[in-house]
Amino acid sequence: QTMSSLAYQIESVRQFPRAQIKAKELAAILGISEAALSSQRRRRTGPPAVIREGCRPYYDHAEVLVWLQAQTDRNARWTPPVTPGLSPDRAP
């Protein structure tokens, strides 16, 4: 499986041994850079982070799973229907 597969990411988070995931660890699981994860955090488009004053942000295991499942559900709604016999670039 590829690093960007949501199923792979969900399974990787499920198997993660701690309840708190560091940004560096989550970025590796998601297959993105720490800078990209930081950007998502600032724009509030990524998984919700726990930020305590004077501490580095971390991610709650359960919250990341909820966010990943929401991404799966969102992607399922936006997947175009496949017409048998037509390639996606030739679909009407």
Side-chain angles (χ1 to χ4, degrees):
Q1 288 184 341
T2 65
M3 211 37 138
S4 62
S5 164
L6 280 169
Y8 175 83
Q9 293 169 353
I10 290 169
E11 190 56 33
S12 295
V13 171
R14 281 191 179 132
Q15 293 178 8
F16 196 79
R18 295 188 321 271
Q20 297 176 350
I21 306 172
K22 295 177 185 177
K24 182 178 187 173
E25 296 165 330
L26 184 57
I29 289 171
L30 298 178
I32 61 175
S33 68
E34 285 184 73
L37 185 59
S38 176
S39 177
Q40 287 180 359
R41 188 170 55 247
R42 282 192 308 275
R43 291 178 297 152
R44 297 190 173 149
T45 58
V50 177
I51 301 176
R52 290 185 276 194
E53 191 173 333
C55 296
R56 294 176 190 249
Y58 67 88
Y59 298 83
D60 179 74
H61 188 272
E63 290 292 323
V64 172
L65 284 174
V66 168
W67 180 81
L68 283 169
Q69 188 59 53
Q71 302 312 299
T72 302
D73 296 343
R74 186 186 69 137
N75 287 352
R77 285 196 313 271
W78 291 101
T79 302
V82 176
T83 304
L86 290 178
S87 64
D89 58 327
R90 298 196 61 192

